[in-house]
Coordinates of all heavy atoms in Angstrom, one line a residue:
Chain A
E57 N 10.8 -20.6 -22.5 CA 10.0 -19.7 -21.7 C 9.7 -18.3 -22.5 O 10.6 -17.7 -23.1 CB 10.8 -19.3 -20.4 CG 10.8 -20.5 -19.5 CD 11.7 -20.0 -18.2 OE1 12.6 -19.3 -18.2 OE2 11.1 -20.5 -17.1
Y58 N 8.5 -17.9 -22.5 CA 8.0 -16.8 -23.1 C 8.3 -15.5 -22.3 O 8.4 -15.6 -21.0 CB 6.5 -16.8 -23.3 CG 6.2 -17.6 -24.6 CD1 6.5 -19.0 -24.6 CD2 5.7 -17.1 -25.7 CE1 6.1 -19.8 -25.8 CE2 5.4 -17.7 -26.8 CZ 5.6 -19.1 -26.8 OH 5.3 -19.9 -28.1
V59 N 8.3 -14.3 -22.9 CA 8.5 -13.1 -22.1 C 7.1 -12.3 -22.3 O 6.5 -12.3 -23.4 CB 9.5 -12.2 -22.6 CG1 9.6 -10.8 -21.9 CG2 10.9 -12.9 -22.6
Y60 N 6.5 -12.1 -21.2 CA 5.2 -11.4 -21.2 C 5.3 -9.9 -20.6 O 6.2 -9.7 -19.7 CB 4.2 -12.0 -20.2 CG 3.4 -13.3 -20.9 CD1 4.2 -14.4 -21.2 CD2 2.1 -13.2 -21.2 CE1 3.5 -15.5 -21.7 CE2 1.4 -14.3 -21.8 CZ 2.1 -15.5 -22.0 OH 1.4 -16.6 -22.6
W61 N 4.5 -9.0 -21.2 CA 4.5 -7.6 -20.6 C 3.0 -7.3 -20.3 O 2.1 -7.6 -21.1 CB 5.1 -6.6 -21.7 CG 6.5 -6.5 -21.7 CD1 7.3 -7.5 -22.4 CD2 7.3 -5.7 -21.1 NE1 8.5 -7.1 -22.3 CE2 8.7 -6.0 -21.5 CE3 7.1 -4.6 -20.3 CZ2 9.9 -5.3 -21.1 CZ3 8.3 -3.9 -19.7 CH2 9.7 -4.2 -20.2
Y62 N 2.9 -6.9 -19.1 CA 1.6 -6.3 -18.7 C 1.8 -4.8 -18.3 O 2.9 -4.3 -18.0 CB 1.1 -7.0 -17.4 CG 0.4 -8.3 -17.7 CD1 1.4 -9.4 -17.9 CD2 -0.8 -8.6 -17.7 CE1 0.9 -10.8 -18.3 CE2 -1.4 -9.9 -17.9 CZ -0.5 -11.0 -18.1 OH -1.1 -12.1 -18.3
R63 N 0.7 -4.0 -18.0 CA 0.8 -2.7 -17.5 C -0.4 -2.6 -16.5 O -1.4 -3.2 -16.7 CB 0.9 -1.6 -18.5 CG -0.5 -1.4 -19.3 CD -0.3 -0.2 -20.1 NE -1.5 0.2 -20.8 CZ -1.6 1.1 -21.8 NH1 -0.5 1.7 -22.2 NH2 -2.8 1.3 -22.4
Q64 N -0.1 -1.6 -15.6 CA -1.2 -1.3 -14.6 C -1.3 0.1 -14.5 O -0.3 0.8 -14.1 CB -0.9 -1.9 -13.2 CG -2.0 -1.8 -12.2 CD -1.6 -2.5 -11.0 OE1 -0.5 -2.8 -10.6 NE2 -2.7 -2.8 -10.1
I65 N -2.4 0.5 -15.0 CA -2.7 2.0 -14.9 C -3.3 2.2 -13.4 O -4.0 1.3 -13.0 CB -3.7 2.4 -16.0 CG1 -3.1 2.2 -17.4 CG2 -4.3 3.8 -15.8 CD1 -4.0 2.4 -18.5
H66 N -3.0 3.4 -13.0 CA -3.4 3.7 -11.5 C -4.8 3.2 -11.3 O -5.8 3.5 -12.0 CB -3.3 5.1 -11.2 CG -3.6 5.6 -9.9 ND1 -2.9 5.1 -8.9 CD2 -4.6 6.3 -9.3 CE1 -3.3 5.5 -7.8 NE2 -4.3 6.4 -8.0
S67 N -5.1 2.5 -10.2 CA -6.3 2.1 -9.6 C -7.0 1.0 -10.3 O -8.2 0.8 -10.3 CB -7.2 3.2 -9.4 OG -6.7 4.2 -8.4
Q68 N -6.3 0.5 -11.4 CA -6.9 -0.6 -12.2 C -6.2 -1.9 -12.1 O -5.1 -2.0 -11.6 CB -6.9 -0.3 -13.7 CG -7.8 1.0 -14.0 CD -7.8 1.3 -15.4 OE1 -7.6 0.6 -16.4 NE2 -8.1 2.6 -15.8
G69 N -6.7 -3.0 -12.5 CA -5.9 -4.3 -12.5 C -4.9 -4.2 -13.6 O -5.1 -3.5 -14.6
P70 N -3.9 -5.2 -13.6 CA -3.0 -5.2 -14.7 C -3.7 -5.6 -16.0 O -4.7 -6.4 -16.1 CB -2.0 -6.3 -14.2 CG -2.2 -6.2 -12.7 CD -3.6 -5.9 -12.5
Q71 N -3.0 -5.1 -17.1 CA -3.6 -5.4 -18.5 C -2.6 -6.1 -19.3 O -1.4 -5.5 -19.3 CB -4.2 -4.2 -19.1 CG -4.6 -4.2 -20.4 CD -4.7 -2.8 -21.2 OE1 -4.0 -1.8 -20.7 NE2 -5.6 -2.7 -22.1
Y72 N -2.9 -7.1 -20.0 CA -1.9 -7.8 -20.9 C -1.6 -6.8 -22.0 O -2.4 -6.1 -22.6 CB -2.5 -9.0 -21.4 CG -1.8 -9.6 -22.7 CD1 -0.7 -10.6 -22.5 CD2 -2.1 -9.3 -24.0 CE1 -0.1 -11.0 -23.5 CE2 -1.5 -9.9 -25.1 CZ -0.5 -10.7 -24.8 OH 0.2 -11.2 -26.0
I73 N -0.3 -6.7 -22.4 CA 0.2 -5.9 -23.5 C 0.6 -6.8 -24.7 O 0.0 -6.8 -25.8 CB 1.3 -5.0 -23.2 CG1 0.9 -4.1 -22.0 CG2 1.7 -4.2 -24.5 CD1 2.0 -3.3 -21.5
I74 N 1.6 -7.6 -24.5 CA 2.2 -8.4 -25.5 C 3.1 -9.6 -25.0 O 3.4 -9.4 -23.9 CB 3.1 -7.5 -26.5 CG1 3.3 -8.1 -27.9 CG2 4.4 -7.0 -25.8 CD1 3.9 -7.1 -28.8
H75 N 3.4 -10.6 -25.8 CA 4.3 -11.6 -25.3 C 5.1 -12.1 -26.6 O 4.6 -11.9 -27.7 CB 3.7 -12.7 -24.6 CG 2.9 -13.6 -25.4 ND1 1.8 -13.3 -26.2 CD2 3.2 -15.0 -25.6 CE1 1.4 -14.5 -26.8 NE2 2.2 -15.5 -26.5
G76 N 6.2 -12.7 -26.2 CA 7.1 -13.2 -27.2 C 8.0 -14.3 -26.9 O 8.3 -14.4 -25.7
L77 N 8.6 -15.1 -27.7 CA 9.5 -16.2 -27.4 C 11.0 -15.8 -27.9 O 11.9 -15.6 -27.2 CB 9.0 -17.5 -28.1 CG 10.0 -18.7 -27.8 CD1 9.9 -19.0 -26.3 CD2 9.5 -19.9 -28.6

Side-chain angles (χ1 to χ4, degrees):
Chain A
E57 290 182 318
Y58 281 68
V59 180
Y60 278 70
W61 283 82
Y62 285 77
R63 74 178 181 184
Q64 187 174 23
I65 296 171
H66 182 62
S67 299
Q68 299 181 22
Q71 174 193 25
Y72 166 87
I73 302 173
I74 199 167
H75 78 293
L77 182 62

